[in-house]
Amino acid sequence: MPMLSDPSSKYLPYPSVPFAEGYTRQWPNKRTTTSPIWLSTDLRDGNQALVNPMSNTTKLELFRLLVKIGFKQIEVAYPAAGETEFQFVRDLIENDEVPDDVAIQIITPARPDLITKSIASLAGVKHGIIHLYNAVSPVFREVVFRNTKEQTIDLTINAVKLVKKLTEEETARSGARFTLNYCLETFSQTEPEFAVNLGNRVLAEWGKASPDAKVYFNLAATVECAPSNHYADMVEYFSNNINQRGSVLLSIHPHNDRGTGVAATELALLAGGDRVEGCLLGNGERTGNVDLITLALNLYSQGVSPGLDFSNLPEIVQVVCRCNESAVPVRYPYAGTLVFSAFAGTHQDAIKKGLDAQAARWEKVDITGEGKKYWAMPYIPIDPKDIGYGYENLIRVSSQSGKAGTAYVIKQTLQLDLPRRMQVSFYGVVQNECEKSGKEMSTALITNAFKQKYCLSSKPIGRLHLQSFDIVPLSPSSVTSSLESFESDGTSTPPEQGRDLIRFEGHISVDGRTRKIMGDGKGVHLALLDALRGDLDLEVDIGDSTKTVTYLEVNLPGSPTSKSGAGSVWGVGVSSDPTTSQCRAIISGINGLVGDKRFPRAKVVFTPRRDQSAQRSESWLRDFTFRAGHNVLHTPEHERSELIAASPI
């Protein structure tokens, strides 16, 4: 049967709330600045909705968790429903499981025999709340119970009389304190005038409501059947018209049939609600009770303390799901495993920029002592660390991601802040891998791809691997100081580095075989490039670099440069010594360019042996290594000084 083209022929719209003509609603202009009283109904209202109801052992585990979170009111059982429920209440009381500042609530329908048994279960309690209910809407009065309004009022008043009598007797016997929580079941479908009339009759019969001993009225949205603003109107109407308002506490009990239970609760609190009844993660029949975790953290995100501790939310979710034999959708508010995760490139870029900007802003507060470390982050309204999550799950990389996502992962895992053009280039590598597998790229896979691409390893990965090198200063001021070489061990900096003429002497692995290469230049970059040009016939251009961590964009002479960075080749060098970092970056970049290029054979290098019988005037030969082709021993004496100055060692 298809959906109706005109549903108004079958479904009636919700009725208006009968505010006086010209009345201005108060709730739209209000703001919640304090947390409500919280009542957890997980052990009763939530439990009755489970396919397999919890055992008392499981209920006790969940009760202890609720106490640990900070709930001061917990509905624990329906004692008249069976011996198991009755015994659970007795076990809590007799085993001193209920802290002095926690009230336990039991639920009972407005039937004399069930009321008697329910209150008997609370013998010896310190503070008990009696949740007395009966359905009062027209469809229940007329169809289910076949009662008139007057008969419904009589049934309710007789039940209140019995509760009053039995609780006063128990108070006299044990000193227990009791609170009446009268629930107008199906309040959301009840005429507002009748609800107020019934509430005032209950107040009069109870006869002892005061600001210090308030009567609770549970305004149950048993079935959510109208927009959230309508429920707020009903609560405000009741709040305005109930007698002894200062001695009354309005308890909001929304369900989620329309999917707006959280919104209805928040608006109802603005309209006069004082207490919220619900379950962790919104468990409950049909679409569930309102989710107390979402409500509490919504307040928290606005700077209002909820008075509940969800600082280890992942563990809480795990316990609740195990006790309820349920699961939470991955995108469920706050509690879902992916709720703080972004896969889209635009989201990732905004989050990365937000984290960087916030870190700088917070650092400024630390330095100056001025301002406030407020949380302001694109897409993420609450700091995940406040509720037990880390930042490692903020950005997840798939084929739908962008450069910022991969850059964020590398920054988090390797502490490398990639230049923008390099981010574009490296994302091309990651995207190719994603498209091949059709799956998400994990942090480990991205990090490994980065190391492989840029040859970041103490062992050879690419065709070229820099093993060691010396820097020999050749500037006039340095030559006269015995031409001592600088050994790059990563712990010191070379003398006269920068634009002074230097010689690079290094050992490099080329396709698994070690070669010695040498070159001169004004600075480490040019000296190493000269060595690669002379020994390996490699001609490349490089850009500027930074110290310690060096990022170099490398391209062949004459080749066009990518405007965006996509497809460009980069090298990365990491070392505590900036010179080593620069050299490694050059080799890393060249590894990305050489492909299957054939290198020339290694040049033969002639190194004269020390000859103890040589004349003293020839001792200068001991300190130098010459390239093949320069036969110093057969060079005329008058040309030697010119050769030393001109030879590109």
Side-chain angles (χ1 to χ4, degrees):
M1 181 177 177
M3 293 179 65
L4 300 175
S5 59
D6 179 16
S8 67
S9 63
K10 185 174 184 178
Y11 300 102
L12 298 176
Y14 61 90
S16 298
V17 175
F19 288 117
E21 186 176 351
Y23 176 78
T24 300
R25 292 167 175 79
Q26 301 301 304
W27 64 261
N29 298 318
K30 292 184 178 180
R31 179 183 291 264
T32 300
T33 57
T34 59
S35 65
I37 298 169
W38 304 102
L39 172 82
S40 163
T41 63
D42 290 85
L43 302 178
R44 206 288 310 174
D45 207 358
N47 188 46
Q48 74 172 6
L50 300 180
V51 176
N52 299 306
M54 291 180 279
S55 67
N56 282 359
T57 300
T58 303
K59 285 181 68 174
L60 180 59
E61 179 186 8
L62 191 50
F63 176 83
R64 289 170 175 170
L65 175 65
L66 294 169
V67 170
K68 183 179 179 181
I69 290 170
F71 285 96
K72 301 304 180 184
Q73 296 187 4
I74 303 172
E75 187 172 80
V76 296
Y78 189 150
E83 188 57 32
T84 300
E85 289 282 280
F86 185 93
Q87 189 58 46
F88 183 67
V89 183
R90 297 309 310 146
D91 289 344
L92 290 178
I93 297 171
E94 293 171 2
N95 297 331
D96 291 326
E97 291 284 352
V98 185
D100 290 344
D101 61 346
V102 172
I104 58 174
Q105 175 173 295
I106 55 92
I107 182 171
T108 179
R111 282 179 46 185
D113 55 332
L114 302 184
I115 291 172
T116 301
K117 183 172 183 179
S118 297
I119 294 177
S121 73
L122 289 172
V125 74
K126 296 182 179 70
H127 183 191
I129 302 174
I130 312 300
H131 178 169
L132 175 70
Y133 76 93
N134 61 305
V136 297
S137 64
V139 70
F140 276 84
R141 292 194 314 256
E142 298 164 6
V143 176
V144 179
F145 301 115
R146 299 177 182 177
N147 283 337
T148 63
K149 287 183 180 179
E150 291 72 21
Q151 288 172 321
T152 300
I153 292 173
D154 288 342
L155 182 151
T156 303
I157 297 305
N158 289 333
V160 170
K161 285 181 180 179
L162 181 58
V163 171
K164 180 180 179 181
K165 173 179 178 294
L166 294 175
T167 53
E168 286 178 347
E169 290 174 354
E170 178 60 29
T171 298
R173 187 186 68 80
S174 65
R177 180 162 66 96
F178 290 98
T179 297
L180 174 64
N181 176 30
Y182 174 61
C183 173
L184 294 97
E185 184 77 0
T186 67
F187 169 81
S188 53
Q189 296 169 289
T190 301
E191 309 93 327
E193 306 97 321
F194 178 67
V196 169
N197 181 30
L198 182 57
N200 284 331
R201 293 288 299 273
V202 168
L203 269 177
E205 183 60 42
W206 188 252
K208 51 184 179 179
S210 71
D212 295 327
K214 294 182 179 182
V215 168
Y216 296 0
F217 283 105
N218 180 332
L219 307 182
T222 309
V223 180
E224 188 181 36
C225 53
S228 302
N229 61 292
H230 182 261
Y231 183 57
D233 281 352
M234 293 189 71
V235 172
E236 184 163 306
Y237 183 89
F238 191 94
S239 177
N240 290 348
N241 292 282
I242 192 72
N243 295 336
Q244 298 179 257
R245 184 61 181 90
S247 300
V248 166
L249 185 147
L250 301 187
S251 190
I252 309 303
H253 187 116
H255 280 250
N256 199 42
D257 299 88
R258 294 170 59 94
T260 56
V262 169
T265 305
E266 292 182 331
L267 298 188
L269 289 173
L270 298 177
D274 304 296
R275 182 172 85 149
V276 174
E277 306 181 7
C279 292
L280 300 180
L281 302 176
N283 181 42
E285 288 189 305
R286 303 186 312 282
T287 54
N289 293 271
V290 71
D291 177 16
L292 300 185
I293 293 176
T294 299
L295 284 168
L297 294 180
N298 283 355
L299 286 175
Y300 184 83
S301 71
Q302 298 300 305
V304 178
S305 174
L308 300 175
D309 183 6
F310 294 114
S311 57
N312 194 358
L313 186 57
E315 180 180 318
I316 292 171
V317 171
Q318 184 181 38
V319 173
V320 173
C321 288
R322 176 166 46 77
C323 291
N324 290 342
E325 298 181 3
S326 63
V328 175
V330 295
R331 293 293 184 183
Y332 192 87
Y334 300 110
T337 56
L338 295 183
V339 72
F340 295 115
S341 299
F343 288 93
T346 53
H347 289 210
Q348 293 175 346
D349 183 61
I351 291 171
K352 181 180 182 298
K353 290 175 180 176
L355 288 169
D356 291 342
Q358 182 163 273
R361 187 173 68 248
W362 286 10
E363 183 179 9
K364 184 177 179 181
V365 173
D366 287 334
I367 294 173
T368 64
E370 299 176 355
K372 182 179 180 182
K373 288 186 176 181
Y374 60 88
W375 178 263
M377 188 65 56
Y379 296 112
I380 306 176
I382 189 174
D383 188 345
K385 290 186 177 179
D386 287 356
I387 53 176
Y389 296 95
Y391 293 165
E392 67 280 353
N393 206 34
L394 286 180
I395 291 177
R396 304 273 292 272
V397 178
S398 70
S399 60
Q400 300 298 308
S401 304
K403 64 183 186 303
T406 54
Y408 172 83
V409 172
I410 295 303
K411 186 174 183 180
Q412 293 296 306
T413 57
L414 300 178
Q415 286 74 55
L416 300 180
D417 197 359
L418 307 185
R420 183 187 178 282
R421 287 172 55 79
M422 186 179 181
Q423 294 177 24
V424 175
S425 175
F426 178 58
Y427 177 62
V429 176
V430 174
Q431 190 173 41
N432 286 338
E433 291 297 321
C434 282
E435 291 176 348
K436 286 179 184 178
S437 66
K439 297 180 179 179
E440 174 190 1
M441 282 285 283
S442 67
T443 297
L445 289 175
I446 294 171
T447 304
N448 185 62
F450 187 85
K451 291 179 179 179
Q452 291 290 328
K453 176 66 178 176
Y454 302 112
C455 306
L456 293 179
S457 174
S458 59
K459 297 179 181 180
I461 294 180
R463 295 184 64 192
L464 305 182
H465 180 74
L466 184 62
Q467 296 174 328
S468 64
F469 66 92
D470 295 340
I471 298 297
V472 181
L474 296 180
S475 60
S477 61
S478 301
V479 170
T480 57
S481 62
S482 74
L483 292 176
E484 293 180 354
S485 68
F486 166 73
E487 175 69 25
S488 178
D489 58 2
T491 60
S492 56
T493 56
E496 303 289 338
Q497 78 162 320
R499 308 314 299 172
D500 293 324
L501 182 65
I502 64 172
R503 176 172 300 133
F504 179 93
E505 298 180 355
H507 288 87
I508 187 170
S509 171
V510 180
D511 295 331
R513 294 188 176 185
T514 300
R515 293 191 187 190
K516 184 173 182 179
I517 61 173
M518 294 177 288
D520 294 347
K522 289 187 175 181
V524 175
H525 283 144
L526 296 179
L528 174 54
L529 291 175
D530 182 56
L532 294 170
R533 186 185 306 113
D535 286 88
L536 295 178
D537 192 25
L538 286 173
E539 186 83 25
V540 297
D541 293 334
I542 60 174
D544 295 331
S545 68
T546 56
K547 293 183 178 180
T548 306
V549 178
T550 304
Y551 309 100
L552 292 175
E553 188 170 9
V554 184
N555 57 282
L556 297 173
S559 61
T561 302
S562 168
K563 293 183 178 181
S564 67
S568 61
V569 177
W570 286 76
V572 180
V574 181
S575 174
S576 57
D577 163 46
T579 302
T580 304
S581 170
Q582 293 165 9
C583 293
R584 289 175 177 171
I586 292 173
I587 299 299
S588 169
I590 290 174
N591 271 313
L593 277 180
V594 294
D596 57 358
K597 172 184 173 63
R598 295 187 64 181
F599 296 124
R601 296 180 63 183
K603 295 180 179 180
V604 178
V605 178
F606 172 70
T607 305
R609 295 181 179 179
R610 293 177 180 269
D611 187 351
Q612 300 298 330
S613 64
Q615 296 182 10
R616 191 173 184 84
S617 60
E618 302 286 338
S619 62
W620 57 274
L621 289 172
R622 302 172 187 171
D623 298 324
F624 294 93
T625 302
F626 297 91
R627 292 185 179 182
H630 297 288
N631 192 339
V632 177
L633 298 180
H634 293 86
T635 302
E637 183 71 25
H638 68 276
E639 295 179 11
R640 290 181 182 175
S641 60
E642 295 177 6
L643 176 63
I644 295 171
S647 178
I649 298 176

